[in-house]
Amino acid sequence: MTLAPEVLRLDQITKRFGALVANDAISLVLRAGEVVALLGENGAGKTTLMNILFGQYVADQGSITAFGQPLPPGNPGAALAAGIGMVHQHFTLADHLSVLDNIMLGTRPLWSWRLNRRAAHDKVRALAHDFGLAVDPDARVGGLGVGQRQRVEILKALYRDARVLILDEPTAVLTPQEADALFTTLRRMVARGLSVIFISHKLHEVMAIADRCVVLRHGRVAGEVATRATSPAALAALMVGAEVLRPAPPPGTAGLSRMRLNGVTTPDAEGAPGLKAAMLDLCAGQITGIAGVSGNGQAALSDLVSGLIRPALGRLDIAGNPAPARWTPAAALAAGVGRIPEDRHKAGTIADFTLTENAVLETCRDAPFSRAGWINWRAARAHATAIIAKYDVRCPGPDTRIRLLSGGNMQKLILGRVLETAPVVVLANQPVRGLDIGAISYVHSQLIAARDRGAAVLLISEDLDEVMHLSDVIHVMSEGRISAPIPRGGATVAELGLRMAGEGFAHAA
Amino acid sequence: MMALVDILISASFWAAAIRIASPLIFATLGELICERAGVLNLGIEGIMVMGAFTGWFAVYQGMPLWGGVAVAFGSGMLFGLLHATLTVPFGLSQHVVGLGVTLLATATASFAYRLALPQVTSPPRIDPFQPFAVPVLSDIPFLGPALFTQTALTYAAFGMAVVVGLVLYRTPLGLAVRAVGENPAAAAAQGLSVTGLRMGAVMFGSGLMAVGGAFLTLSAFSSFFFDMVNGRGWICIALVVFGAWRPGKAVLGAVLFAAFDAGQVRLQQTEIGAILPYQVFLALPFVLSIIALIVMSRRAEVPAALMVPYNKGER
């Protein structure tokens, strides 16, 4: 069998951010009509490598050859002209412009007098039809759903006659049905001789779509295998470097009640229901899991526990006593509530602050970080350094801006910040969303360790497997109501699923 | 009440409104282009002063009137370059840089005027643009004297509005400018130079602001006074918001404001003027503008990346 012609070659690419080596002499070859998966944990260097290929970063060393021609570094225009299209993880679309304008942007010489919208319109329609990318060219991007936006991004590349398409974590934001549609599109593209680089850390997707897998670990190529000749377990081992342990944690021993919701009702907020006469008991030494489809009152529960909202009706008890009348985030902190917020970028960290500053955000007013109203930066820095070491936060150092960390490492810092205060109650809202296997098992093991130290852990997650795996007791949320507690192993997936759909709530509000 | 109606049906009132609107139109379009590209240009007030001075001085030194306009445009571009260099590649605060440019340009114009004309007691005059009656159109009753017996620079202001609208919405360049103001990362991913586009937009926009200033010396007053711009630049920033960042609506806003301004002068001379202190009339256009601004800008779509510097390597 003769090999298809080579379309793209990355040769010994190296890129450093400060002291962090994001890419270390990575080489990669892509041939016509194949899908190569770029697999690796968060922070393994996948996105950095693709941003170099696409000219958004300039590599410190190494070269790129596209269709036999060297590709000038640091120039997205050259990459586009060479037939390379990229669909970024965070879409690069202008919300106020139409789909057609977004697609046409930059495709014609700036100083020509006409946009020629009609011809473009026809071409977009034809492409959309050929590749199964249904989207209205005249719609405004701001009004589109995530799946449609991704189609616009792919159309942007196809409109420029891209021969190589790079997709960065394309399924992270898609529903299973949208992901299937995307795979159908990709297969059509490959059948026409296009090549695809598919970046992911979801093993089953890679197995389903890719011909070859290149596995990155800590910025290096850890292995390259044909998908037919491998298994998800073997790929996972390559990704994290060792067999991933999935320990079934021993059950916790329930202690005293640390926080109790006694028929708490909170007002509805924009489109999301508040709590409806919610009963919930968080006990020391237990992980209490909240299962449910997102948008069923989890946000209200999380806000209540963290002190952002107060009960409109009912009572909130802390360790057997009524919560302070002024139930604020400061009061929650004082009561020993440690919070791992749902959105680590928006609510968990301040992107342009250093790791040190982020590490003491909640505690900078207390000893030893504050003396007579002055922040003791030496103590703060030592604290951050300790968290970095203890929680395996991979970063150049405590003075790095947290913006530069991958999601997993950011989450580890938040985890360390929370757990180092020895909280009485730990609120973990979607603690592993978007993390890779290694980081997930680490976060889970730390939550279990916190429980074993006697903390009451409240785990809110959309991932039913996660809730069932970790929780000592499970509640299901539906439309702001919280079900009666279900002990571990007390319900099957199907039964929980029925509850999540709103059945079996005796005391409906 | 009758006095108000009398004013509104007089052609001279509308002719004055159009004339007063002209410098505002130039400068508002300039500011609009800057903001559409994502850069708030608070240098507008100073750049207008600079344009008023350089345009006038060039003509005073013997250049033709259009030469003066070109010189003003060039001087605006120069200060635009300063503003753009500091705010775009260096990403400095657009507020601070803008106010700095205003102070610098205002002071430089005054200084240069004193330096060039140390002896004068009364400001020297030039021969300004004369009203030009457009054949045929100026013979239309009412509309003719109101709209078509203006100076060439006024026609140019309205023509420029049409050109800016066409370029922004109908050409690849306009699409690119709007895109860098909405999402610079999207433009960069499509191979466009965000820095180049933003700097170009700020420079061209600043040029238009300076022409707006030059209108005052070359078409309206024929002399240069230190405080002649008198806050018009700030009004133009409000007009951009009023116009929801659209050239057509911005022109409408400029004419509306100018009509208030022209109206208050005339109202002072009626029987109402005998009752109310004249300061009330002076404040009227501003008060009405603020009200109109509140009403009109409710649903305006601010360019999403306005005042957000773009750093290539940021993640």
Side-chain angles (χ1 to χ4, degrees):
Chain A
M1 178 183 130
T2 54
L3 285 171
E6 192 176 299
V7 295
L8 193 67
R9 169 181 285 273
L10 304 180
D11 201 27
Q12 301 286 317
I13 300 288
T14 298
K15 172 74 181 172
R16 298 181 193 88
F17 291 105
L20 184 84
V21 183
N23 288 165
D24 189 357
I26 295 179
S27 298
L28 177 75
V29 171
L30 183 68
R31 297 181 183 283
E34 72 170 351
V35 179
V36 169
L38 199 56
L39 197 62
E41 299 187 80
N42 283 316
K46 308 177 299 260
T47 303
T48 305
L49 184 67
M50 289 305 108
N51 281 334
I52 290 169
L53 169 56
F54 196 63
Q56 278 164 332
Y57 296 154
V58 178
D60 299 324
Q61 279 150 38
S63 65
I64 302 171
T65 315
F67 302 95
Q69 301 290 321
L71 195 65
N75 185 351
L80 287 167
I84 298 168
M86 178 149 180
V87 176
H88 293 267
Q89 191 175 358
H90 305 288
F91 300 143
T92 53
L93 296 170
D95 279 359
H96 291 165
L97 302 185
S98 72
V99 168
L100 191 64
D101 280 352
N102 268 287
I103 291 172
M104 292 185 72
L105 179 61
T107 55
R108 285 176 59 79
L110 281 183
W111 300 105
S112 57
W113 276 109
R114 289 183 51 223
L115 267 171
N116 218 347
R117 277 205 173 85
R118 189 169 303 156
H121 202 281
D122 293 345
K123 183 170 175 182
V124 169
R125 278 218 180 282
L127 286 170
H129 180 260
D130 286 357
F131 291 100
L133 294 160
V135 62
D136 174 12
D138 299 318
R140 278 163 47 102
V141 166
L144 299 182
V146 176
Q148 287 173 304
R149 283 169 190 240
Q150 188 173 63
R151 281 178 233 150
V152 177
E153 284 282 11
I154 296 172
L155 280 170
K156 262 163 74 176
L158 294 175
Y159 184 83
R160 288 169 172 267
D161 305 317
R163 304 295 299 160
V164 175
L165 191 67
I166 305 164
L167 296 153
D168 190 1
E169 307 254 356
T171 58
V173 291
L174 299 185
T175 64
Q177 290 77 9
E178 286 172 330
D180 285 344
L182 170 67
F183 286 177
T184 309
T185 299
L186 294 185
R187 289 198 186 93
R188 285 194 206 182
M189 289 166 54
V190 172
R192 293 176 185 220
L194 274 72
S195 312
V196 175
I197 296 179
F198 186 91
I199 303 175
S200 182
H201 56 237
K202 293 185 185 169
L203 297 172
H204 64 275
E205 288 174 358
V206 169
M207 295 297 290
I209 192 80
D211 300 305
R212 260 188 315 134
C213 298
V214 173
V215 183
L216 295 188
R217 187 169 75 232
H218 300 284
R220 292 207 182 105
V221 177
E224 186 177 338
V225 284
T227 313
R228 265 171 292 128
T230 188
S231 68
L235 286 176
L238 269 178
M239 265 169 75
V240 298
E243 284 294 323
V244 181
L245 295 177
R246 187 110 167 121
T253 38
L256 296 171
S257 168
R258 295 300 188 196
M259 187 182 274
R260 179 179 286 140
L261 279 66
N262 228 327
V264 171
T265 297
T266 63
D268 294 349
E270 295 163 30
L275 297 173
K276 306 270 189 298
M279 310 287 282
L280 184 68
D281 200 1
L282 305 179
C283 294
Q286 267 200 335
I287 296 181
T288 306
I290 302 290
V293 179
S294 122
N296 273 288
Q298 290 97 329
L301 176 61
S302 169
D303 286 352
L304 177 76
V305 173
S306 20
L308 287 165
I309 56 173
R310 295 171 204 178
L313 288 172
R315 211 176 73 203
L316 179 69
D317 287 345
I318 309 290
N321 302 311
R326 281 184 51 78
W327 182 240
T328 60
L333 274 177
V337 178
R339 301 161 301 173
I340 302 171
E342 180 176 8
D343 187 332
R344 54 184 159 264
H345 298 279
K346 281 190 187 142
T349 57
I350 301 178
D352 284 314
F353 274 22
T354 64
L355 267 71
T356 300
E357 288 166 324
N358 274 293
V360 297
L361 273 185
E362 290 177 334
T363 47
C364 60
R365 280 194 227 116
D366 310 327
F369 308 122
S370 167
R371 273 191 312 219
W374 298 90
I375 291 182
N376 179 355
W377 285 115
R378 186 173 303 173
R381 202 162 180 280
H383 182 62
T385 312
I387 291 177
I388 290 167
K390 187 167 169 187
Y391 293 86
D392 188 29
V393 184
R394 288 183 206 149
C395 64
D399 301 323
T400 314
R401 287 185 305 156
I402 206 161
R403 175 192 288 284
L404 297 169
L405 266 58
S406 69
N409 285 315
M410 215 181 267
Q411 192 73 328
K412 285 180 191 169
L413 184 91
I414 295 173
L415 199 66
R417 179 172 82 194
V418 169
L419 297 183
E420 286 301 298
T421 60
V424 180
V425 175
V426 175
L427 165 67
N429 194 355
Q430 313 284 359
V432 298
R433 178 186 279 171
L435 302 192
D436 55 64
I437 302 167
I440 288 173
S441 67
Y442 185 80
V443 170
H444 284 171
S445 69
Q446 288 297 323
L447 289 178
I448 292 163
R451 177 200 71 181
D452 291 342
R453 280 201 304 272
V457 179
L458 175 60
L459 170 71
I460 303 176
S461 175
E462 283 169 62
D463 183 348
L464 197 52
D465 287 339
E466 184 186 12
V467 172
M468 293 180 76
H469 178 71
L470 282 181
S471 308
D472 297 306
V473 53
I474 298 175
H475 295 261
V476 179
M477 281 197 88
S478 174
E479 289 169 25
R481 295 167 300 176
I482 298 181
S483 76
I486 303 159
R488 171 190 289 217
T492 62
V493 174
E495 285 164 351
L496 290 176
L498 280 177
R499 290 276 177 90
M500 284 158 68
E503 290 189 23
F505 283 84
H507 45 273
Chain B
M1 212 53 231
M2 276 311 292
L4 194 64
V5 175
D6 280 343
I7 289 171
L8 287 177
I9 59 167
S10 80
S12 75
F13 160 74
W14 286 106
I18 297 293
R19 189 176 64 241
I20 295 170
S22 302
L24 299 177
I25 289 172
F26 275 121
T28 303
L29 290 172
E31 182 67 31
L32 186 142
I33 292 168
C34 296
E35 294 195 17
R36 261 328 207 9
V39 181
L40 177 74
N41 190 346
L42 293 184
I44 181 169
E45 179 83 8
I47 291 170
M48 286 181 80
V49 176
M50 184 48 84
F53 170 71
T54 53
W56 172 84
F57 190 67
V59 175
Y60 181 68
Q61 293 296 322
M63 282 182 86
L65 283 166
W66 286 109
V69 173
V71 167
F73 187 82
S75 70
M77 295 259 287
L78 213 60
F79 279 88
L81 176 64
L82 174 68
H83 187 288
T85 308
L86 295 175
T87 53
V88 182
F90 293 151
L92 300 185
S93 159
Q94 297 179 4
H95 291 107
V96 175
V97 170
L99 293 175
V101 167
T102 280
L103 292 175
L104 177 70
T106 309
T108 308
S110 307
F111 184 62
Y113 181 82
R114 279 280 177 246
L115 214 59
L117 305 159
Q119 308 294 344
V120 297
T121 46
S122 65
R125 302 177 64 86
I126 53 157
D127 286 330
F129 280 103
Q130 296 302 316
F132 171 76
V134 181
V136 186
L137 289 174
S138 59
D139 297 335
I140 304 172
F142 186 71
L143 286 182
L147 303 181
F148 299 110
T149 43
Q150 302 279 356
T151 67
L153 219 42
T154 293
Y155 303 129
F158 285 85
M160 185 53 74
V162 175
V163 170
V164 169
L166 285 177
V167 169
L168 268 184
Y169 291 100
R170 296 285 173 83
T171 69
L173 179 67
L175 178 57
V177 168
R178 286 185 293 139
V180 294
E182 292 289 346
N183 185 350
Q190 293 284 67
L192 296 167
S193 162
V194 175
T195 308
L197 282 162
R198 283 188 162 175
M199 289 188 70
V202 171
M203 287 177 68
F204 184 79
S206 301
L208 285 186
M209 294 169 189
V211 173
F215 182 94
L216 299 174
T217 46
L218 300 184
S219 190
F221 297 120
S222 74
S223 295
F224 176 76
F225 312 98
F226 288 137
D227 55 353
M228 71 190 314
V229 173
N230 194 21
R232 282 183 175 83
W234 311 134
I235 291 294
C236 292
I237 289 186
L239 286 174
V240 173
V241 182
F242 177 86
W245 288 269
R246 290 171 174 277
K249 279 188 178 176
V251 168
L252 202 69
V255 173
L256 198 66
F257 177 84
F260 290 147
D261 204 10
Q264 62 93 5
V265 175
R266 284 162 175 75
L267 269 180
Q268 283 188 55
Q269 294 149 7
T270 64
E271 65 268 33
I272 313 171
I275 308 164
L276 290 171
Y278 75 97
Q279 288 92 340
V280 173
F281 296 98
L282 286 180
L284 200 62
F286 296 92
V287 172
L288 291 174
S289 298
I290 289 168
I291 293 168
L293 199 59
I294 293 166
V295 174
M296 288 284 289
S297 60
R298 275 269 180 78
R299 287 172 51 229
E301 260 174 9
V302 188
L306 181 61
M307 292 187 280
V308 183
Y310 177 67
N311 288 337
K312 205 175 177 187
E314 197 95 304
R315 59 170 209 190

